[in-house]
Amino acid sequence: MLLYFIKRLAGAVPVLIVVSGIIFALMQLAPGDAVTMLISDEASEADKARIREAWGLDRPPFIQFLNFLGNALTGDFGMSFRYKMPVIEIVMDRLPATIELAVAATLIAVGVGVPLGVLAAARPGTAWDAIASAFSFAGISMPNFWLGILLILLFAGYFNILPSGGREPWGLGVEHVTGFLIIDSILAGRWDALGAALKHLALPAIVLGTNMTGIITQMTRAQVLDALREDFVMTARSKGVSEARVLWRHAFRNAMVGVVTIIGLEFGTLLSGAMIVETVFAWPGIGSLLITGISSRDFPLIIGLVLVYTGMFIVMNLLIDLFYTLIDPRIRMN
Amino acid sequence: MDNASQTTMSLRDRWQKLREDYRHLTGFKGIYGVLTIVFLVVFGLFAELIAPHAPNRQDLMLALTPPDWRGPHVLGTDHVGRDILSRIIHGARVSLIIATAVALFASVAGVFLGIVSGYFRGRIDSAIQKVAEIFWSFPPLMLAIAIVAFIGQGLTIVIVALTAQRWIPYCRVTRAETMALREREFILAARSLGAGHWFILRQHILPNVMLSVIVMTSFAMANAIISESSLSFLGLGVPPSIPTWGGMLADSRSYISSAWWMALFPGLAIFLTVLGLNLLGDALRNQFDPKLKAH
């Protein structure tokens, strides 16, 4: 098992190298001179040459790429043009906010989508089923930036009960130990801070979770309906097991494997969605950082972030595969 | 049903049988989906004739006029006095162009690579699958964002950027179907009659994967529209001089407390269009592809 995991992880390394190669090649296609991001366009040629040399921009692209790869292996993604700080430090500082948001969104999606899907499957063709279906199609088709704006309009503007953006009120004064504001508030015993953090988290998490809720509802319904047709359900029923128990203990448990897989597969969409949701709600995660990096043409930051995103996506897919092999002995590892 | 009884069917019976045979497409999902496409195409092609105002005509005196069904600005105006309804109608053009182009290029490339991969297997297959794996390892939209961020804005670049990943689902599905098809008797029969590989791919494999391709295309178009509007919303889409639904929503953010109509209507256009294409895809899938059917 461990060997399999290590083998799969090692298999991801070449993919990451090619991915960085693609991003590096795209960077070479960018119009304009990267040095103008670091120094005024009116600077003398000598100054520009000095900056180029200092940042390694004078070397051939391929050498730059090899240097980058070598450094990246040690966790060094270079210096950000804009922040004049190591990329890895900025990313690590911002990453907990994104993870917090993504976890909250997933919890909402599972908490709403799974019961709704089971309900629809238990009563196919009824009004419940129709409502679940309408809800899930609406969720899947909803542009998250629009939903975000509408909810801000409603809850921050009209009712004025939730903040319109940001992650914590100014001067909250909770020490960032783990970087996860909710955990930090609990560690510090600051329940007021926890409340404030949850209030800020509510709207972005709902918006980010909406799309996934729709997909989980549909998939849960389909999986449970499939499981209800299986022989073991008929056996259970003929033994006189109650319908609720058949549904939850037999059908639902078997359907969960598929549902967990979907959660994993949707993780990539969640990461992309987070970029947009973070931008709408001024959430200080790596998604809004990437968008800022792009608008300020901060190349080292962009390439570092794309790699972090892609790495997270690859690892997540790997974990899902592992989960699958663990839970279902019919799938052989090879 | 044999031919004899079919010919004796009354017109009414025949109509009912047709309706029954195509019940998924003639249900709500199918009809709403088709209407969505009709509206998108008509607005996209004839925006100038339909829109009550020029989409970029500014009138600062009329800036932020609230919606008024008696007109002249039925859905109100934006921060520089441009008519929202006219901009939504013109915005359909970008959505139509991008959805059509991405679905077309992605399906042609994906289906070609998919059937070649599944039919020839071996080294061609593993090479194509390796490329697919690499492009698929970017989270959705990430590769598109990187391409637009580095190379620059523009309609062609957005189309290329969105196609870069969209061909992969076509490739995977048609590959799997081709692998199943190539073992079937009619392919073996064609082979033994001396048919060439390309002939078989064109005459026997391609027609048999087309239904799945049509189903996927509906979803691919929905995905392209939502991706394009996301890019435009982030300021990474087509140049801001061209009206787009995503761009209109980006504009609305600064006026969120004073002009709700700037946010509501363009978003509604995206939502209803994407919903229609997703519902149509579902209806097509239920109709033609019971294997993929979600009951």
Side-chain angles (χ1 to χ4, degrees):
Chain A
M1 192 74 220
L2 187 69
L3 192 73
Y4 170 73
F5 183 74
I6 293 169
K7 252 165 86 178
R8 286 289 311 268
L9 207 60
V13 173
V15 174
L16 270 177
I17 292 177
V18 178
V19 162
S20 14
I22 293 173
I23 299 297
F24 227 85
L26 282 173
M27 217 155 80
Q28 304 306 319
L29 290 173
D33 189 350
V35 82
T36 55
M37 302 301 127
L38 288 160
I39 190 170
S40 149
D41 208 19
E42 281 97 57
S44 71
E45 273 310 311
D47 281 344
K48 281 186 183 169
R50 193 173 49 76
I51 295 283
R52 258 191 210 106
E53 202 188 325
W55 288 75
L57 296 169
D58 55 336
R59 276 168 261 175
F62 188 66
I63 303 294
Q64 283 186 44
F65 178 58
L66 289 183
N67 275 337
F68 172 82
L69 274 186
N71 292 334
L73 283 178
T74 63
D76 174 10
F77 292 100
M79 298 279 278
S80 154
F81 285 171
R82 179 188 158 99
Y83 299 92
K84 306 283 190 292
M85 268 168 72
V87 167
I88 191 76
E89 272 180 36
I90 309 171
V91 172
M92 282 322 207
D93 189 46
R94 293 267 208 145
L95 194 56
T98 296
I99 293 176
E100 205 167 65
L101 179 60
V103 169
T106 309
L107 289 179
I108 291 174
V110 172
V112 177
V114 169
L116 209 56
V118 175
L119 200 66
R123 297 174 172 80
T126 62
W128 282 112
D129 192 15
I131 291 170
S133 169
F135 186 80
S136 70
F137 270 106
I140 292 168
S141 309
M142 183 73 73
N144 48 20
F145 43 96
W146 184 52
L147 183 63
I149 292 174
L150 290 186
L151 292 187
I152 291 175
L153 210 58
L154 208 60
F155 289 98
Y158 191 72
F159 293 123
N160 197 18
I161 46 173
L162 289 171
S164 65
R167 191 175 174 216
E168 55 187 302
W170 189 79
L172 187 66
V174 172
E175 199 193 343
H176 286 210
V177 184
T178 59
F180 297 96
L181 203 53
I182 290 174
I183 297 175
D184 286 342
S185 304
I186 296 172
L187 284 179
R190 290 273 309 273
W191 307 114
D192 60 316
L194 179 66
L198 287 173
K199 266 187 165 179
H200 280 81
L201 185 60
L203 288 185
I206 290 171
V207 171
L208 184 57
T210 299
N211 197 274
M212 203 181 189
T213 308
I215 289 164
I216 290 182
T217 306
Q218 276 191 4
M219 292 309 296
T220 307
R221 178 181 180 275
Q223 293 282 332
V224 172
L225 271 180
D226 269 348
L228 281 172
R229 291 205 188 97
E230 296 271 352
D231 291 342
F232 59 77
V233 166
M234 204 198 281
T235 311
R237 277 187 181 141
S238 60
K239 282 196 305 184
V241 175
S242 75
E243 198 52 32
R245 206 177 149 85
V246 165
L247 183 65
W248 288 101
R249 286 299 293 272
H250 295 267
F252 175 67
R253 277 180 67 160
N254 277 282
M256 268 331 270
V257 183
V259 174
V260 171
T261 313
I262 293 303
I263 296 171
L265 291 176
E266 281 300 307
F267 183 68
T269 317
L270 200 69
L271 287 180
S272 311
M275 283 189 285
I276 293 156
V277 174
E278 285 178 13
T279 306
V280 173
F281 287 95
W283 188 261
I286 56 172
S288 49
L289 183 67
L290 178 66
I291 303 301
T292 326
I294 287 171
S295 55
S296 56
R297 302 173 65 83
D298 191 341
F299 290 171
L301 187 63
I302 300 174
I303 189 168
L305 278 171
V306 173
L307 280 186
V308 168
Y309 265 114
T310 312
M312 278 162 54
F313 190 42
I314 290 175
V315 169
M316 189 67 187
N317 281 328
L318 186 58
L319 289 176
I320 290 301
D321 279 1
L322 277 182
F323 170 82
Y324 222 71
T325 44
L326 274 179
I327 205 93
D328 194 338
R330 284 171 301 185
I331 300 159
R332 261 183 261 123
M333 292 174 271
N334 52 27
Chain B
M1 189 161 291
D2 60 359
N3 281 333
S5 66
Q6 220 161 28
T7 47
T8 56
M9 253 188 196
S10 76
L11 200 63
R12 195 188 167 80
D13 288 344
R14 190 169 289 178
W15 176 75
Q16 277 197 329
K17 182 178 179 305
L18 198 72
R19 241 201 100 103
E20 182 52 32
D21 285 350
Y22 290 93
R23 66 185 166 352
H24 290 290
L25 285 182
T26 52
F28 167 74
K29 286 177 181 172
I31 289 174
Y32 176 69
V34 170
L35 279 179
T36 306
I37 294 188
V38 170
F39 269 99
L40 192 66
V41 170
V42 170
F43 282 178
L45 289 179
F46 306 111
E48 282 86 358
L49 300 176
I50 300 166
H53 302 272
N56 286 325
R57 200 182 65 205
Q58 303 188 1
D59 187 346
L60 289 172
M61 297 293 284
L62 289 172
L64 303 179
T65 310
D68 182 354
W69 59 271
R70 286 159 304 187
H73 299 289
V74 180
L75 300 184
T77 63
D78 68 4
H79 56 299
V80 288
R82 294 173 297 193
D83 183 52
I84 301 270
L85 177 62
S86 305
R87 287 178 70 73
I88 289 178
I89 293 172
H90 278 266
R93 180 167 294 169
V94 170
S95 296
L96 175 68
I97 293 172
I98 292 199
T100 313
V102 171
L104 183 71
F105 295 141
S107 59
V108 170
V111 171
F112 175 76
L113 293 172
I115 60 178
V116 164
S117 213
Y119 184 78
F120 291 109
R121 311 290 305 270
R123 254 193 254 162
I124 300 177
D125 182 33
S126 29
I128 292 173
Q129 292 318 306
K130 204 76 210 164
V131 174
E133 187 197 332
I134 283 164
F135 277 88
W136 204 241
S137 60
F138 289 96
L141 213 61
M142 179 63 75
L143 183 61
I145 284 183
I147 291 175
V148 180
F150 287 127
I151 301 181
Q153 298 184 331
L155 200 60
T156 322
I157 293 173
V158 171
I159 291 169
V160 171
L162 293 179
T163 309
Q165 274 190 319
R166 203 32 48 192
W167 62 274
I168 298 170
Y170 284 105
C171 179
R172 295 215 161 137
V173 170
T174 52
R175 171 178 179 263
E177 290 190 346
T178 306
M179 276 162 60
L181 282 170
R182 75 195 281 269
E183 310 300 332
R184 295 267 298 274
E185 289 81 1
F186 69 98
I187 303 286
L188 293 176
R191 288 286 300 142
S192 56
L193 286 171
H197 291 308
W198 295 108
F199 180 83
I200 289 176
L201 280 178
R202 203 176 59 234
Q203 295 294 324
H204 296 296
I205 305 278
L206 191 60
N208 278 299
V209 300
M210 271 329 271
L211 278 180
S212 315
V213 172
I214 292 168
V215 172
M216 278 190 287
T217 297
S218 199
F219 293 118
M221 289 177 79
N223 185 283
I225 289 179
I226 217 159
S227 303
E228 180 278 322
S229 54
S230 303
L231 288 176
S232 293
F233 178 75
L234 294 171
L236 294 169
V238 298
S241 58
I242 304 172
T244 60
W245 298 338
M248 291 174 75
L249 273 171
D251 288 341
S252 81
R253 287 185 64 204
S254 318
Y255 303 91
I256 197 164
S257 50
S258 53
W260 52 268
W261 54 91
M262 276 180 73
L264 183 65
F265 298 118
L268 204 58
I270 304 173
F271 173 62
L272 292 177
T273 310
V274 174
L275 183 66
L277 289 166
N278 277 333
L279 289 176
L280 179 65
D282 195 62
L284 286 166
R285 181 167 55 193
N286 289 340
Q287 183 68 52
F288 294 120
D289 204 347
K291 274 175 302 181
L292 291 171
K293 185 173 155 185
H295 309 285

